[in-house]
Amino acid sequence: SGMFYSASKLSWALAAAAVCSLCKLACAKKFLQFDPLSKEDVDRSIADELSSNVNKGRFMEIEQKLRVVYSALPKNEHGRLNHQAVRYVLHRFFVQQHGWYIRGLEPNGVAQSPSSTGTPAPLKDWVAAYIQERFEESSDAKGINLRNLVALAATLEDLIRREASLEMKEVYSILGFSTTDRIPREEAEEAINAYMMIYLTNRNVSLSSHNDVVRKLGIFRRKYKNWAEADAFMKGIEDRHGGLTNSAGVDFNTTADIVADMGEHFGAFNDGECKDLKSAMGAMTSSSGKVGRIRLHEFYNKSLHTHWKFTERADFLRELGALDESGTQPSVIIPNYLSAFTNCLKATSLYAVCCRNECEDLIGHLERRIAAPTAPPEMIADIVSALPSDTVAAPRRLPESLLRRLSQMAASNNGEVHLHGRLFAQWMHHAFPMECPYPHEAGTTSPQTAAEWMERTGSEAHVSEEEMRKVVEDACAADGSGEASAEVEPELPWTDAEELLTAAQPGKPEAVKSRRWAAWVLAPLLLGLGWLAVERLEVVPQQKQMLRKVLLFAFLLVLFYAMDLLDVPLLAVLVLALVALGAFHHASTHSLPLAAKTKDCC
């Protein structure tokens, strides 16, 4: 399913189906299988951001946005973020700033690596983890500081803009337009609209020629009900670039910048659709008794009798983390469903556009007020009681159950509550059940598309109309016979399992591990060979004694490095100082009078 809901969700499906039915796969460009970026592009972007040759203004803008959450997050023993915390903050940053869900940035996710032989893994599956590993290597596994965090975010943004440019170049090639010469405004608009069609169809379109683009774009405009809104959105982006009014024509860089900016702002455009979906789901919660929950049969019933298409299978919803089975009847967790991957638009090979997690805005308010990873329960209660949301009015008096649980969390942590742990996320879900997702325990859910789930399980991710009717009829029969309680079930589920960002130490990149293992093996070997060489030297005893000291000191330095007590830069400085000391001693010894040199051996 696409991310455009209501009639727009249905119109997207109809438009995509109509366009795909005309695809000539033999010679057409299949954008769904098109990964324009290579590992070399990724390495080049990393090198650019690690160097001093960066856009200072843009760097400072990203730093300003990340500084608050960085200050509030727990740090490791080096005062930096560990591996899991980096994923957490970057995931939050991109979802909140652009609505981008980048695969590999899930705090508990496992990503692949680029393959050097055979068929390479898809870019989306490894690029974020690969970039993070490279930055961690540059810090010698001590964690990521604010500057590196900003550079990491900027690298991903650079790659996404570069991907948009390369994909636009492919569109130009199919249309037969030049990327080196200016083209008329009409042709530039045609190229931008073609890119927009690719973007809005989950990239599930194949294009082979100019005529093919014109034909499929015409079908898409007719079938996609929200084309007028999308077209107006694009015109707004064009206006930010001065429009396409240059009488001399439009150059490629202008159109590439326009589509890149469109991707950066599309999440805000999509917020309206997300709010419509949230409102429609919120209207179905009254009979369940649990705020933020819809009974599964009512979820399906809405699909049977309205334009909404709520058709996800229960097993699929469970893996997405959107199914609550704690009550007498299974129910759909609204904030978890809203942010689920099934409702995202797979816009490019690097990211999908998803509904923003409204809870992050609430957590962000707490982080700005507290500016620390922990806080006393009284302080948190005061802030939250005055904090409104889209569905919760403020100020309000927090229920005693919430205050009690807050105190229980603090009691197990020296009177302080961790702001970035699972228990506090669960507490926020109880405080704002329509905005904050329920935090499942790590490893119990899996963000994935319907196609990925079907490929892995061999089962359809969506139920048929007949299956939905059966679920609805069975639920109604059970309610009528008294087999299932129709009473209100106000209590939301709660478990005491805690998971903190600092629970696991940052994993050392493989290259760092290899270097330290080599140091353990080579240190005694080099000491033995060096000692042998010194003993065979025909030099005065004073020089031999000095060389032995240098060898022993070098051996200790390498051991300290192997034990992770020294990093590479400090090790290099100490070794250079040792070499300089040895050279100075050698020079001073050779400058002594002959009598002085031979005194000890006479």
Side-chain angles (χ1 to χ4, degrees):
S1 60
M3 72 179 298
F4 291 90
Y5 314 107
S6 181
S8 57
K9 184 175 181 180
L10 179 59
S11 70
W12 170 85
L14 291 173
V19 169
C20 290
S21 68
L22 293 175
C23 292
K24 297 179 180 178
L25 299 179
C27 58
K29 170 61 67 176
K30 303 175 186 178
F31 283 91
L32 190 60
Q33 301 171 11
F34 180 48
D35 276 349
L37 293 171
S38 65
K39 182 174 177 292
E40 289 69 31
D41 292 317
V42 178
D43 288 333
R44 194 179 308 117
S45 289
I46 294 171
D48 289 344
E49 293 299 339
L50 284 173
S51 70
S52 57
N53 186 26
V54 295
N55 185 322
K56 303 294 184 185
R58 177 165 160 271
F59 196 90
M60 290 178 64
E61 182 183 348
I62 297 174
E63 181 178 338
Q64 185 177 7
K65 292 174 180 176
L66 286 172
R67 184 177 293 279
V68 171
V69 64
Y70 179 85
S71 300
L73 284 171
K75 310 296 190 300
N76 62 20
E77 65 272 23
H78 304 292
R80 300 181 178 188
L81 299 183
N82 67 16
H83 185 82
Q84 195 177 7
V86 170
R87 285 180 174 227
Y88 170 81
V89 68
L90 287 177
H91 177 74
R92 273 184 58 179
F93 173 76
F94 285 114
V95 171
Q96 292 309 106
Q97 290 298 315
H98 308 300
W100 292 347
Y101 191 112
I102 299 177
R103 187 67 64 90
L105 288 185
E106 309 92 332
N108 296 306
V110 178
Q112 300 179 26
S113 298
S115 175
S116 56
T117 59
T119 304
L123 192 72
K124 66 180 176 63
D125 290 337
W126 61 263
V127 67
Y130 176 71
I131 293 171
Q132 184 178 354
E133 182 178 303
R134 289 290 307 276
F135 274 87
E136 286 172 348
E137 282 182 22
S138 72
S139 70
D140 202 32
K142 288 187 178 296
I144 297 295
N145 58 21
L146 180 59
R147 190 192 184 285
N148 277 348
L149 184 68
V150 174
L152 217 166
T155 299
L156 282 165
E157 282 194 348
D158 285 343
L159 282 172
I160 287 168
R161 292 189 70 88
R162 187 175 297 182
E163 181 192 40
S165 178
L166 291 172
E167 198 155 288
M168 192 60 166
K169 188 173 289 187
E170 195 65 31
V171 170
Y172 265 55
S173 174
I174 293 168
L175 290 171
F177 298 162
S178 170
T179 58
T180 56
D181 301 325
R182 292 178 179 272
I183 61 175
R185 173 181 176 173
E186 294 75 17
E187 291 184 353
E189 286 184 339
E190 188 175 25
I192 291 170
N193 287 337
Y195 181 94
M196 190 70 169
M197 175 178 66
I198 295 165
Y199 195 93
L200 292 177
T201 55
N202 271 332
R203 305 175 77 236
N204 191 20
V205 60
S206 299
L207 302 172
S208 59
S209 65
H210 191 164
N211 289 338
D212 195 32
V213 172
V214 171
R215 182 169 65 257
K216 289 173 182 174
L217 189 55
I219 294 170
F220 188 77
R221 281 171 165 166
R222 291 194 303 273
K223 296 289 185 180
Y224 179 61
K225 190 172 181 180
N226 281 36
W227 176 260
E229 290 84 353
D231 189 52
F233 163 71
M234 282 302 302
K235 291 294 189 292
I237 299 293
E238 291 171 13
D239 289 343
R240 295 181 192 179
H241 290 263
L244 304 175
T245 57
N246 194 324
S247 59
V250 183
D251 63 16
F252 173 77
N253 288 338
T254 298
T255 58
D257 284 343
I258 286 171
V259 297
D261 285 356
M262 181 273 290
E264 290 186 356
H265 293 91
F266 192 82
F269 171 72
N270 178 64
D271 276 350
E273 300 286 349
C274 294
K275 287 178 180 176
D276 288 345
L277 176 61
K278 179 184 176 184
S279 296
M281 297 187 78
M284 293 188 280
T285 63
S286 57
S287 63
S288 72
K290 291 184 178 181
V291 182
R293 302 288 197 280
I294 308 167
R295 287 179 176 172
L296 184 62
H297 71 274
E298 292 171 343
F299 179 76
Y300 288 153
N301 196 50
K302 188 81 169 179
S303 185
L304 289 171
H305 299 291
T306 69
H307 58 261
W308 296 100
K309 296 300 172 186
F310 299 129
T311 61
E312 288 83 2
R313 189 177 297 278
D315 291 343
F316 183 40
L317 289 169
R318 185 181 299 111
E319 282 216 31
L320 292 174
L323 193 67
D324 178 2
E325 299 176 275
S326 63
T328 56
Q329 296 185 29
S331 57
V332 177
I333 311 171
I334 292 176
N336 292 57
Y337 180 80
L338 284 173
S339 58
F341 211 66
T342 185
N343 290 317
C344 297
L345 179 73
K346 188 180 176 183
T348 79
S349 65
L350 283 176
Y351 70 84
V353 182
C354 303
C355 289
R356 290 190 316 114
N357 181 352
E358 295 178 79
C359 196
E360 301 298 357
D361 295 330
L362 304 172
I363 293 289
H365 180 82
L366 283 163
E367 289 170 337
R368 286 188 293 274
R369 290 285 304 275
I370 296 170
T374 63
E378 298 80 13
M379 183 179 186
I380 294 173
D382 287 345
I383 296 172
V384 172
S385 63
L387 183 59
S389 74
D390 186 41
T391 59
V392 175
R396 60 170 166 156
R397 183 183 178 87
L398 295 179
E400 285 300 320
S401 59
L402 278 179
L403 296 174
R404 185 173 61 253
R405 283 194 166 121
L406 203 58
S407 297
Q408 288 169 352
M409 284 186 275
S412 62
N413 188 48
N414 299 318
E416 298 271 312
V417 176
H418 285 285
L419 296 183
H420 302 97
R422 181 188 169 275
L423 285 179
F424 186 68
Q426 189 174 213
W427 188 86
M428 287 293 286
H429 174 66
H430 281 239
F432 300 95
M434 286 290 289
E435 285 77 31
C436 295
Y438 176 80
H440 294 276
E441 295 178 37
T444 60
T445 62
S446 174
Q448 57 195 303
T449 64
E452 289 168 341
W453 190 81
M454 185 170 65
E455 182 180 351
R456 185 174 62 80
T457 64
S459 303
E460 287 286 343
H462 298 271
V463 293
S464 65
E465 183 175 328
E466 291 73 23
E467 289 174 300
M468 286 191 288
R469 289 190 186 280
K470 187 175 188 311
V471 171
V472 172
E473 291 168 1
D474 289 348
C476 291
D479 281 343
S481 66
E483 291 178 16
S485 173
E487 295 178 3
V488 171
E489 300 172 14
E491 184 66 23
L492 297 178
W494 180 278
T495 64
D496 292 322
E498 177 66 299
E499 295 168 9
L500 300 173
L501 289 177
T502 53
Q505 293 300 316
K508 299 186 191 305
E510 289 303 316
V512 176
K513 291 180 182 178
S514 299
R515 288 200 299 267
R516 296 202 185 280
W517 176 250
W520 275 111
V521 174
L522 292 177
L525 180 63
L526 292 176
L527 175 65
L529 291 175
W531 198 278
L532 218 68
V534 168
E535 293 304 316
R536 293 186 176 183
L537 285 176
E538 295 183 1
V539 294
V540 296
Q542 187 180 2
Q543 284 183 298
K544 278 194 177 184
Q545 185 180 2
M546 182 60 189
L547 287 172
R548 291 189 194 103
K549 289 179 181 178
V550 169
L551 271 175
L552 286 171
F553 191 55
F555 172 71
L556 289 175
L557 286 179
V558 176
L559 278 186
F560 288 156
Y561 171 73
M563 295 164 65
D564 202 13
L565 298 176
L566 288 176
D567 56 17
V568 171
L570 184 56
L571 177 65
V573 169
L574 291 173
V575 168
L576 287 174
L578 192 61
V579 171
L581 181 63
F584 175 76
H585 183 270
H586 179 73
S588 62
T589 303
H590 275 273
S591 66
L592 291 173
L594 180 60
K597 293 181 186 179
T598 58
K599 182 179 179 181
D600 291 338
C601 59
C602 290

